[in-house]
């Protein structure tokens, strides 16, 4: 069980690197700014937990700018670990998911863990996103799923 968890976590880290590369490439090509939603989510979660990110205005903002992407890395590694556990359990039972199904499941899990909290905490509503917003979200997550599965 531990081997599947560790292999999956490493695969999730590799997938996260690919997701970030695709996202930054999109920003460079389209000239779009970085998203502040990860920082907003960290701030909302800490407030909901009854705490706050410490520091004066500048230090606090800098911490949020660091914690936002770190939370994305945590999601990527966690989804990879979960995928590794599932893969190991299926293989132990003599089964395996077809590659396209596995890639879509991994991609969807990462996307859900990234987007659902935005809706829950009132930061963004995916129902209101334009097609370009969905492409900017789906493409990196598919790249993540593909890289995580391949790793």
């Amino acid at each position: 069980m531990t081997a599947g968890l560790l292999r999956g976590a490493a695969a999730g880290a590799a997938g996260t690197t690919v997701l970030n590369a695709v996202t930054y490439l999109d920003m460079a090509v389209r000239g779009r700014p970085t998203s502040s939603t990860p920082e907003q989510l960290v701030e909302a979660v800490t407030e909901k937990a009854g705490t706050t990110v410490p520091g004066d205005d500048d230090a606090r903002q800098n911490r949020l700018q660091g914690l936002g992407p770190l939370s994305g890395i945590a999601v990527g590694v966690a989804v990879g670990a979960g995928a590794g556990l599932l893969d190991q359990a299926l293989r132990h039972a003599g089964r395996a998911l077809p590659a396209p199904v596995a890639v879509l499941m991994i991609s969807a899990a990462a996307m859900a863990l990234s987007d659902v909290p935005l809706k829950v905490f009132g930061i963004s509503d995916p129902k209101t996103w334009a097609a370009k917003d969905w492409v900017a979200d789906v493409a990196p997550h598919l790249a993540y799923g593909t890289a995580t599965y391949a790793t």
Side-chain angles (χ1 to χ4, degrees):
M1 210 46 123
T2 303
L5 178 78
L6 294 176
R7 281 196 307 268
T16 300
T17 300
V18 171
L19 179 144
N20 287 335
V22 170
T23 299
Y24 294 136
L25 179 62
D26 176 51
M27 290 168 61
V29 168
R30 293 195 301 146
R32 72 173 180 84
T34 187
S35 173
S36 64
T37 57
E39 300 154 35
Q40 293 172 26
L41 182 58
V42 168
E43 188 169 34
V45 168
T46 56
E47 287 175 6
K48 184 74 170 175
T51 188
T52 185
V53 175
D56 62 23
D57 288 342
D58 287 339
R60 184 172 180 282
Q61 188 58 41
N62 292 339
R63 284 187 177 104
L64 287 169
Q65 288 175 347
L67 290 169
L70 282 172
S71 68
I73 292 169
V75 167
V77 171
V79 169
L85 287 172
L86 177 61
D87 180 64
Q88 185 177 20
L90 288 171
R91 289 182 188 279
H92 183 59
R95 301 187 183 274
L97 291 173
V101 172
V103 166
L104 288 175
M105 287 178 65
I106 294 167
S107 301
M111 212 168 140
L113 285 174
S114 298
D115 295 346
V116 169
L118 298 178
K119 171 70 174 160
V120 169
F121 283 93
I123 295 165
S124 182
D125 186 355
K127 290 180 185 176
T128 65
W129 292 359
K132 67 180 177 150
D133 300 323
W134 277 105
V135 170
D137 197 46
V138 170
H141 283 98
L142 281 174
Y144 165 84
T146 302
T148 299
Y149 177 81
T151 302

